Amino acid sequence: MDNALRLQYLEAMGITSWVSREPPQDEITGLAPDPFDGLAVNPQAADAWEALQAEVAACTKCGLCTTRKNTVFGSGNKTADWLFIGEGPGQHEDEQGLPFVGNAGQLLTEMIRALGLGRDEVYIANIVKCRPPNNRDPHADEVASCHDYLQRQIALIQPKIILAVGRIAAQTLLNTDAPLSKLRGKVHTLDATPLIVVYHPAYLLRSLLEKRKAWQDLQFAMRTLQEQQ
Ligand code: URA
Ligand code: SF4
């Protein structure tokens, strides 16, 4: 059941008190707190996260800052084993300030569930933190301007495995022009962390037949992580 429907049911049952209509705002970003926030981190790491989040929220390092509604920092468990990295925010993400919350996001959430995990157990970030207009691919200078933020997120999370979600994320992280079909099904590494390339859920929405391949990618990622342990 989707959330809107769930709320309608609850309302019909007279249960409204637990739903805060105006969620408290985060002091730094002005947005509602990350609904997928996982475990607490140690105080030192918490300070580093806060500083990083404040920098991104105020960032004007590239032209995307002029058209964004909100920055999309990333969300989830800051000590996750699994880090998912997408390309950049789309319309819904830009509006809500959260990654992967549109249609593709729902499918990514399903992919995460298929791994036996919830969104509060993984971390999800993007290559660029601001939406490229009309969902165009981010330009090289935008990717370069934004890269330091992602690197700092990776250093703080120290994931056991990184999933590059879709072609743009994969090509950027691996610094290659190779097509996605050549990149999936292999264990790459990013600074000694295993990195697996998976189909982008937006692509799967267009091409349902490819879902099987996506499931193979996830099983491959699971085996890779198991072999690390
Ligand atoms: N696609 C992405 O790559 N990232 C998002 O956050 C949403 C859709
Ligand atoms: Fe800054 Fe990244 Fe947004 Fe560009 S995309 S303005 S570098 S946060």
Side-chain angles (χ1 to χ4, degrees):
M1 196 188 298
D2 70 39
N3 253 347
L5 195 57
R6 187 177 296 131
L7 286 179
Q8 270 176 23
Y9 274 92
L10 288 169
E11 238 169 51
M13 294 189 304
I15 304 169
T16 49
S17 56
W18 67 279
V19 185
S20 167
R21 304 238 152 232
E22 302 241 347
Q25 289 197 337
D26 186 287
E27 282 169 28
I28 303 167
T29 60
L31 292 164
D34 177 5
F36 305 111
D37 202 348
L39 295 172
V41 286
N42 69 52
Q44 219 182 344
D47 286 349
W49 277 107
E50 209 167 292
L52 183 53
Q53 203 157 349
E55 255 183 78
V56 170
C59 181
T60 55
K61 281 203 291 182
C62 84
L64 295 181
C65 73
T66 61
T67 45
R68 73 179 178 222
K69 285 201 177 104
N70 290 295
T71 54
V72 178
F73 179 73
S75 103
N77 185 328
K78 298 183 176 87
T79 58
D81 287 348
W82 294 76
L83 170 61
F84 291 75
I85 302 177
E87 168 180 337
Q91 184 196 343
H92 296 286
E93 290 76 19
D94 181 48
E95 278 161 10
Q96 296 181 42
L98 289 166
F100 283 103
V101 287
N103 285 342
Q106 282 180 16
L107 205 45
L108 183 70
T109 305
E110 292 306 321
M111 287 164 79
I112 292 166
R113 281 217 191 103
L115 292 167
L117 298 167
R119 279 185 64 137
D120 57 350
E121 293 176 275
V122 306
Y123 198 86
I124 304 177
N126 278 308
I127 297 281
V128 290
K129 312 300 189 205
C130 303
R131 181 192 183 201
N134 303 316
N135 299 344
R136 65 159 168 76
D137 292 349
H139 295 155
D141 66 303
E142 296 157 353
V143 170
S145 301
C146 215
H147 197 58
D148 170 67
Y149 299 136
L150 181 63
Q151 270 183 320
R152 284 158 68 190
Q153 285 175 308
I154 297 172
L156 282 167
I157 298 166
Q158 296 185 309
K160 293 209 171 100
I161 189 162
I162 295 173
L163 269 72
V165 182
R167 179 179 65 84
I168 299 285
Q171 290 180 337
T172 303
L173 292 167
L174 297 171
N175 195 16
T176 174
D177 289 336
L180 194 126
S181 56
K182 289 261 159 59
L183 297 173
R184 59 184 285 273
K186 285 184 195 141
V187 184
H188 308 268
T189 53
L190 189 71
D191 300 329
T193 305
L195 182 149
I196 305 286
V197 173
V198 300
Y199 277 112
H200 195 289
Y203 173 77
L204 296 180
L205 286 174
R206 289 191 288 257
S207 169
L208 295 179
L209 287 176
E210 301 292 351
K211 272 191 172 166
R212 216 177 126 237
K213 286 191 194 157
W215 177 228
Q216 286 167 357
D217 290 343
L218 293 180
Q219 285 177 315
F220 181 61
M222 269 195 281
R223 277 202 307 278
T224 304
L225 182 57
Q226 274 158 12
E227 280 161 20
Q228 302 287 312
Q229 289 168 341

